[in-house]
Amino acid sequence: MIVLRWLYNIISYSRLKSVGNNVRLSPWGSITRPQELEIGSNVFIARHYNISARDMKIGNDVMIGPRFMAECDDHKFDSIGHTMYSIQKHRKIAKIVIENDVWIGGN
C-alpha cells in the first residue's frame, strides 16, 4: 500500500504546474488537478491532506499540518427555489493563494 501511495505522489509531482526546491508532501494525501497547482520552495505538507486545485498557489517557506483541506470550488447555495441536489453540478470557483512564510496548523 505504501508503494502505491509513493507512486501516486511521484505522478502528482510530475504533473504539478510548477514546483520549487525542497518540497515534501506526505505520502498519505491527494491532489485533484495537480496541473493547476503551483508550489514554491521549502514547503512541507503533513499527512492526510486533500487539495482540489483550480488555479491554486502555495508560496515559499510554508508548513502545513495534518488533515489540511483546500477546495477551490464551492456549491452554489444562493439559488432560491432549487434543491441543493438539483444544482449540485453548478459551482463557484475561486483561486486560493497561500502566501510566503505561512504556518497552517493541524486539523
Side-chain angles (χ1 to χ4, degrees), residues 39-103:
I39 300 178
S41 294
N42 304 316
V43 173
F44 170 74
I45 303 178
R47 66 191 181 281
H48 304 299
Y49 63 88
N50 186 343
I51 298 173
S52 180
R54 290 196 191 264
D55 195 19
M56 181 174 171
K57 181 178 180 182
I58 299 173
N60 298 314
D61 305 307
V62 173
M63 294 187 310
I64 299 175
R67 293 179 182 78
F68 171 72
M69 180 175 214
E71 181 68 56
C72 293
D73 49 310
D74 192 8
H75 295 283
K76 291 185 68 111
F77 51 85
D78 56 356
S79 226
I80 307 299
H82 296 93
T83 65
M84 286 301 295
Y85 189 83
S86 70
I87 60 170
Q88 65 182 321
K89 295 190 189 307
H90 300 170
R91 307 274 183 167
K92 289 180 2 181
I93 298 171
K95 181 175 185 166
I96 293 177
V97 177
I98 299 172
E99 297 288 345
N100 295 334
D101 194 24
V102 172
W103 180 15

